[in-house]
Amino acid sequence: MTKRPAIKPPRQSKGGKLPDVKTGSIEEHFRLLVENIGDVLWFKEVDPPRFSYVSPAFERIWGVSLAELREHPELWGESIYPDDQKAVSAALRRWLSGKTQDYEVHYRVQGRDGKVRWLADRGIVLSRKDGLPHQIGGIARDITEREAAEAMNRRLAAVVETTDDSIITMDLEGRIDTWNAGAERIFGYTQEETVGKMMSFLRPPQAEDDEAVFKRMIERGLRIDHYETQRRHKNGDILDVSLTISPILDVNGRLVGFSKISRDITERKQAEQTILRLNAELEQRVEERTAELRGQIAARRQLEEEILRISEREQRRIGQDLHDDLGQQLAGAWMMADVLARRLAASGAHEQEPASKLCALLGKSLNHTRSLARGLDPVAPEQGGLGAALKNLAERSADLFGISCQFESRAEVMLEDQKGAIHLYRIAQEAINNAVRHGRAQNVRIRLSTRGPKAVLSVIDDGLGIKETAAMHEGMGLRIMRYRSEMITGTLEIKKAAKRGTCVTCSFPLSATSKTVSTAHGPEKL
């Protein structure tokens, strides 16, 4: 067989331009074509295996020079990706043995630079010898980009088919072009039942014609994200769905249709409704329980208030008994003892001294009884109100406990509500008792002042101070103090004093019927 002349690369003129070719030079035209296209044109003799021609594109793909390939023809097959070599060899054997008429196979080639490229290799028999192919040739086309695009399309198709969401594409009229498996799972219709139909058949009768609105928005280039509406299942059930609709553009950027992704949110909607119902039931139960607790609290407050009223009433009764009964008897005994002491002194009897001591003891007892009576029924408007009662409390506490106890006030607070004045007096009384008994105080100050619409009662001592454990575990006395403060809508604060000791402060609002009178001492500083 006559050997084909080796095709030499075309000569290039200066500046990189191809040389002018005479019209009608077919061989020269063929030379330019095969040397400049990206495909690999190859001619090969089968026995013995030898490449008679391979175009220069081979060097770009394989990374092997043509001279090296001519010396080692096996380099072509050895560069085929290992996973593809078996399939290529099998296809080549079937072709050369005559079992198949054509040779066409796709495989990967790994060049010496490590890059992997896809080739579509197709060959024909050029001549035969003894009935078998002797000379073959073909074209190996680089399809790497196409294969990558097809692989991406396959992956996208797999995602579309395996997703739980419904993915539907439609033309501009709203007719269905594609219908994935997710759409079949959600709506119950197969692809054969839906392709070519208008999307409106999924809309429930009571739902709005939102498809027309979607079309107008898509034509304006807008996108619809997570639009919640309702659609109808094949079995008639109404589904809650979330829609995402996007335009589909052709290669020229023209709108040709739109895609719709539907997600079944029926269970989520049902769960939301269940949560709302449970929340409503819970709120109703909370309101009912709150009302019940309010009633219990009101009843408890009423009971506590009644206990305090009974206590105060009993104290006042005892105080009045001390004043009217025991006080009068002591007063009579004191006067009789005084008369006796005077007579004995006049007669010069030696019993005069014991009689004088008896008279002094009865007088002291009388004063103490009157002091107790005032403490049990302390606040009386006719006796000066709260200020006078607190002043008297300071004097009696100093005398009783042997301490320095002073009352300071720059504004006399006259409370029309006798109950409120008694509560404040008892708070001060309890604070003084705690300061002496628990704090071992030697100096106590009672202050009464005003701050805008409020009045402030403070009891400050120089004792040991309140401990944190005591503040955390309040005793009965502190709880009663707080309760009395709440009864007059006030606030009670117990904290360490500036230097040492404890400061008990009760702030309470001045009612419209309360009066404040500035004293001559001016405003007080706390």
Side-chain angles (χ1 to χ4, degrees):
M1 183 175 179
T2 306
K3 257 188 181 181
R4 292 177 182 271
I7 301 177
K8 298 180 181 179
R11 299 183 304 274
Q12 293 188 353
S13 61
K14 293 181 180 180
K17 296 181 179 179
L18 294 173
D20 293 335
V21 180
K22 295 180 180 180
T23 303
S25 178
I26 302 301
E27 183 178 353
E28 195 67 24
H29 285 178
F30 179 72
R31 180 197 304 274
L32 291 174
L33 177 63
V34 300
E35 301 296 344
N36 289 280
I37 62 175
D39 300 339
V40 179
L41 179 66
W42 56 272
F43 297 100
K44 185 180 180 181
E45 295 178 1
V46 178
D47 189 19
R50 183 181 69 85
F51 284 99
S52 57
Y53 176 78
V54 178
S55 64
F58 171 84
E59 295 182 341
R60 176 180 59 82
I61 297 173
W62 267 260
V64 177
S65 67
L66 294 175
E68 191 174 359
L69 179 65
R70 281 193 291 269
E71 293 294 329
H72 304 282
E74 68 275 6
L75 288 176
W76 180 294
E78 291 177 354
S79 297
I80 296 176
Y81 201 71
D83 292 346
D84 300 338
Q85 288 181 2
K86 187 175 180 180
V88 174
S89 299
L92 190 59
R93 283 196 303 269
R94 289 193 300 271
W95 179 47
L96 295 178
S97 65
K99 291 182 178 180
T100 57
Q101 293 295 322
D102 298 319
Y103 171 73
E104 185 172 0
V105 64
H106 292 187
Y107 56 84
R108 290 165 290 180
V109 170
Q110 187 169 19
R112 286 185 173 175
D113 58 359
K115 293 183 178 179
V116 177
R117 306 192 71 82
W118 276 93
L119 294 178
D121 199 358
R122 184 175 184 181
I124 61 173
V125 178
L126 299 176
S127 65
R128 295 179 180 273
K129 186 177 181 180
D130 299 331
L132 297 175
H134 173 64
Q135 196 173 43
I136 57 178
I139 296 177
R141 174 163 294 174
D142 187 350
I143 59 170
T144 303
E145 294 182 0
R146 189 186 79 186
E147 190 67 24
E150 290 178 355
M152 178 62 72
N153 289 337
R154 287 193 294 272
R155 287 195 293 271
L156 292 176
V159 170
V160 168
E161 288 304 312
T162 57
T163 181
D164 291 333
D165 295 339
S166 161
I167 301 179
I168 306 168
T169 60
M170 293 158 285
D171 61 17
L172 291 178
E173 298 301 322
R175 292 184 180 86
I176 298 172
D177 290 332
T178 63
W179 180 274
N180 76 330
E184 183 174 344
R185 284 191 294 271
I186 292 176
F187 300 112
Y189 294 95
T190 64
Q191 183 175 356
E192 291 75 14
E193 293 176 302
T194 56
V195 171
K197 284 188 176 181
M198 300 295 290
M199 276 296 298
S200 56
F201 79 96
L202 290 176
R203 189 175 69 248
Q206 69 275 13
E208 297 180 359
D209 186 10
D210 46 16
E211 297 293 341
V213 178
F214 296 155
K215 180 182 177 182
R216 290 194 296 270
M217 295 179 67
I218 292 297
E219 288 174 348
R220 289 162 50 195
L222 301 177
R223 170 188 168 97
I224 296 96
D225 285 319
H226 307 298
Y227 174 79
E228 294 187 2
T229 183
Q230 289 184 328
R231 290 294 181 261
R232 183 170 53 185
H233 191 274
K234 185 178 180 179
N235 61 12
D237 291 343
I238 303 301
L239 306 176
D240 291 298
V241 296
S242 173
L243 303 180
T244 297
I245 307 174
S246 305
I248 299 177
L249 307 177
D250 62 10
V251 294
N252 297 317
R254 292 177 299 184
L255 180 66
V256 295
F258 52 95
S259 65
K260 180 183 292 185
I261 299 176
S262 305
R263 175 165 295 179
D264 187 356
I265 59 172
T266 304
E267 292 184 359
R268 194 196 77 188
K269 284 290 188 180
Q270 292 174 350
E272 289 176 355
Q273 292 300 321
T274 301
I275 291 173
L276 290 175
R277 177 176 56 79
L278 292 176
N279 283 340
E281 293 178 0
L282 180 60
E283 289 179 359
Q284 182 178 358
R285 291 180 183 178
V286 169
E287 290 179 359
E288 292 173 355
R289 182 56 179 161
T290 302
E292 182 181 348
L293 290 175
R294 285 184 183 140
Q296 294 177 359
I297 292 172
R300 191 193 69 183
R301 282 187 174 275
Q302 186 176 3
L303 178 61
E304 291 173 345
E305 189 174 357
E306 182 63 25
I307 291 173
L308 282 178
R309 280 199 298 267
I310 293 172
S311 175
E312 295 292 344
R313 186 167 61 247
E314 285 300 306
Q315 289 188 40
R316 285 197 299 273
R317 184 186 63 78
I318 294 172
Q320 291 172 0
D321 289 345
L322 287 175
H323 182 272
D324 298 339
D325 187 4
L326 181 59
Q328 296 300 325
Q329 293 181 24
L330 286 175
W334 172 76
M335 287 187 289
M336 292 173 63
D338 183 64
V339 171
L340 178 60
R342 291 176 184 275
R343 289 179 179 177
L344 291 174
S347 63
H350 63 277
E351 291 86 354
Q352 181 267 336
E353 184 176 353
S356 297
K357 290 181 180 180
L358 177 61
C359 182
L361 181 60
L362 288 172
K364 187 175 182 180
S365 298
L366 176 61
N367 291 332
H368 185 61
T369 301
R370 290 175 175 173
S371 178
L372 286 174
R374 285 194 298 269
L376 292 171
D377 189 13
V379 184
E382 64 274 9
Q383 296 177 357
L386 177 61
L390 292 175
K391 182 178 180 182
N392 181 264
L393 175 62
E395 294 173 353
R396 286 192 300 102
S397 298
D399 182 60
L400 179 62
F401 298 118
I403 61 173
S404 173
C405 187
Q406 299 177 349
F407 171 68
E408 302 173 3
S409 176
R410 295 296 177 93
E412 181 67 27
V413 179
M414 301 296 293
L415 296 177
E416 297 295 333
D417 184 5
Q418 187 73 1
K419 296 179 182 178
I422 292 175
H423 285 310
L424 291 168
Y425 179 89
R426 297 302 182 195
I427 290 173
Q429 189 178 45
E430 183 66 28
I432 295 172
N433 290 337
N434 289 338
V436 176
R437 292 166 54 194
H438 302 297
R440 301 177 187 176
Q442 295 299 317
N443 295 279
V444 179
R445 285 177 293 166
I446 306 173
R447 291 180 176 177
L448 185 62
S449 62
T450 57
R451 291 179 183 173
K454 290 187 175 182
V456 180
L457 171 66
S458 300
V459 179
I460 307 167
D461 66 72
D462 63 350
L464 300 177
I466 189 170
K467 297 181 180 179
E468 293 183 0
T469 55
M472 293 174 59
H473 306 283
E474 293 182 349
M476 180 63 71
L478 291 180
R479 288 199 296 269
I480 292 177
M481 289 168 65
R482 292 194 185 279
Y483 178 75
R484 289 184 181 277
S485 176
E486 293 173 1
M487 292 297 293
I488 58 174
T489 64
T491 57
L492 186 74
E493 183 182 15
I494 302 174
K495 63 181 181 179
K496 291 183 179 180
K499 295 182 179 179
R500 57 171 297 181
T502 305
C503 178
V504 178
T505 303
C506 178
S507 301
F508 57 96
L510 290 170
S511 63
T513 57
S514 300
K515 301 178 181 179
T516 57
V517 181
S518 299
T519 64
H521 301 287
E524 179 188 3
K525 297 180 181 179
L526 291 180

